[in-house]
Amino acid sequence: PTSEAAPPTPEVAPPAPPVTDAAPPSPVAPPAPPTEEYAPPAPVVNCNQPNINTFNACYFYQRDLVDFKLNRTEAYPINNNWGEGSPDPLVPVDNFSASYVGQFTFAAGAYDFVVTGDDGVRLYVDGTMVLDKWIDQSPQTYTVTQTLTAGVHTVRLEYYENGGGTVAKLSWTLNDNSP
């Protein structure tokens, strides 16, 4: 008897990938640069947050401390006299306001706070209003005496400009009659 060999098993090739006219995939492109219209969100400014040994100064488009326009740090003493101008091109020449707040270290004693404003000014020491001249006026200087304990105290000056000259000043000295 002859033995018949089994027919050979045909080798099956794996299926060929589909044929396509598309270009091979390219690496991911980097994001497009921002357009000129793009502006990052403005930082949140807290105009009530006092700086330490300087003033956190906020300027507003309206004379009642609304419509925020500009924030910057200003040194003590506040000695601003812009003539017929404004503190910055972002702030109008007339009908603007400002708030200056800072924390300063005082020795115990009576202090003379000297404020000059054209137009309205209000002065607060540790949250208490000690001067309220929120009126239209030519440059006027006011002196308010406050007795302070030794330590850190918060000083805030609010100011508005209605028209004409533009002056906002604040300084203090230990009163000679202080113990």
Side-chain angles (χ1 to χ4, degrees):
T2 61
S3 76
E4 279 187 33
T9 307
E11 289 188 26
V12 178
V19 176
T20 175
D21 291 337
S26 63
V28 175
T35 66
E36 290 180 26
E37 296 174 12
Y38 172 80
V44 175
V45 175
N46 182 350
C47 292
N48 294 314
Q49 180 64 44
N51 285 358
I52 306 298
N53 297 319
T54 62
F55 288 98
N56 177 12
C58 289
Y59 292 88
F60 303 87
Y61 188 75
Q62 303 293 330
R63 62 187 257 176
D64 52 359
L65 302 169
V66 297
D67 197 4
F68 170 80
K69 289 296 175 196
L70 175 69
N71 174 249
R72 64 185 181 199
T73 297
E74 294 199 19
Y76 168 84
I78 296 172
N79 191 19
N80 296 328
N81 185 344
W82 298 289
E84 300 288 322
S86 81
D88 189 272
L90 293 174
V91 178
V93 172
D94 292 322
N95 291 312
F96 72 88
S97 54
S99 172
Y100 308 88
V101 61
Q103 291 185 325
F104 300 88
T105 302
F106 291 84
Y111 286 82
D112 291 332
F113 288 83
V114 180
V115 177
T116 302
D118 176 0
D119 288 290
V121 289
R122 292 188 289 224
L123 178 65
Y124 300 80
V125 177
D126 293 330
T128 300
M129 185 185 298
V130 297
L131 175 67
D132 185 7
K133 295 297 180 181
W134 203 248
I135 57 175
D136 291 350
Q137 59 189 336
S138 59
Q140 297 294 318
T141 299
Y142 303 96
T143 301
V144 177
T145 302
Q146 290 291 298
T147 301
L148 302 177
T149 58
V152 175
H153 295 274
T154 302
V155 178
R156 173 190 302 274
L157 176 67
E158 295 177 343
Y159 164 76
Y160 82 83
E161 163 56 15
N162 184 33
T166 310
V167 178
K169 297 182 179 185
L170 168 63
S171 63
W172 55 80
T173 56
L174 185 60
N175 187 306
D176 290 340
N177 297 325
S178 190

